[in-house]
Amino acid sequence: MELSSIIFHAQSIIIVALMLYGVSKAKKRSLHSKIMTTTVIWDVLLILQIELTRSAINTAAKFSVNPMVMKIHLVCAISTAVLLFVSAFSGRKIYKNKQPLSSFHRNVGRLTLFLRILTLITSFLVK
């Protein structure tokens, strides 16, 4: 495994661990918001790092010829990225308006976390 892969995997593991910690702090809104904002920013930066070093978009563009595990990984990764923004947007609205936790935000957050964990797992299987 090349050094860049090790660095990407290490960052991904830390991001997922931070997400899990952030979820555990949901009742402490300020702390939860700071942790989750950090994970979203870091995850977006990780995506940019991968794109700049591996041309991930070109790989994704060859979707029809990629192995099944790569297709699963790409679907999970792209879905996670979209849901991160949906979750962040709904979370900001809740935090700024001091509204109670909405079931929409909670459910989107759970789905985002699930897909992010799948993205992490499949990243180890993609070559």
Side-chain angles (χ1 to χ4, degrees):
M1 185 181 289
E2 60 186 71
L3 182 59
S4 65
S5 292
I6 294 168
I7 292 169
F8 295 151
H9 283 115
Q11 288 182 79
S12 194
I13 290 167
I14 294 167
I15 289 166
V16 169
L18 273 174
M19 287 178 89
L20 290 167
Y21 180 67
V23 168
S24 76
K25 299 300 178 190
K27 292 190 188 286
K28 296 181 180 182
R29 286 186 179 194
S30 180
L31 181 59
H32 173 77
S33 177
K34 288 174 186 170
I35 294 167
M36 299 313 278
T37 299
T38 300
T39 63
V40 169
I41 292 168
W42 194 351
D43 221 5
V44 169
L45 289 174
L46 179 58
I47 292 167
L48 292 173
Q49 289 175 45
I50 293 169
E51 172 54 30
L52 291 173
T53 60
R54 295 190 176 166
S55 299
I57 293 173
N58 286 336
T59 302
K62 299 173 188 161
F63 191 80
S64 62
V65 296
N66 284 326
M68 184 57 72
V69 70
M70 176 63 94
K71 290 177 184 178
I72 293 168
H73 176 72
L74 288 171
V75 168
C76 289
I78 292 166
S79 299
T80 299
V82 170
L83 289 174
L84 279 172
F85 287 105
V86 172
S87 189
F89 179 76
S90 67
R92 279 283 158 211
K93 283 181 69 173
I94 292 167
Y95 187 75
K96 284 183 178 182
N97 296 330
K98 307 290 186 201
Q99 298 171 358
L101 180 62
S102 73
S103 60
F104 174 78
H105 179 72
R106 184 183 308 117
N107 291 332
V108 168
R110 286 177 181 162
L111 180 58
T112 305
L113 180 59
F114 174 75
L115 288 171
R116 185 60 182 86
I117 291 168
L118 283 179
T119 301
L120 173 63
I121 292 167
T122 58
S123 73
F124 286 98
L125 305 174
V126 172
K127 294 186 181 191

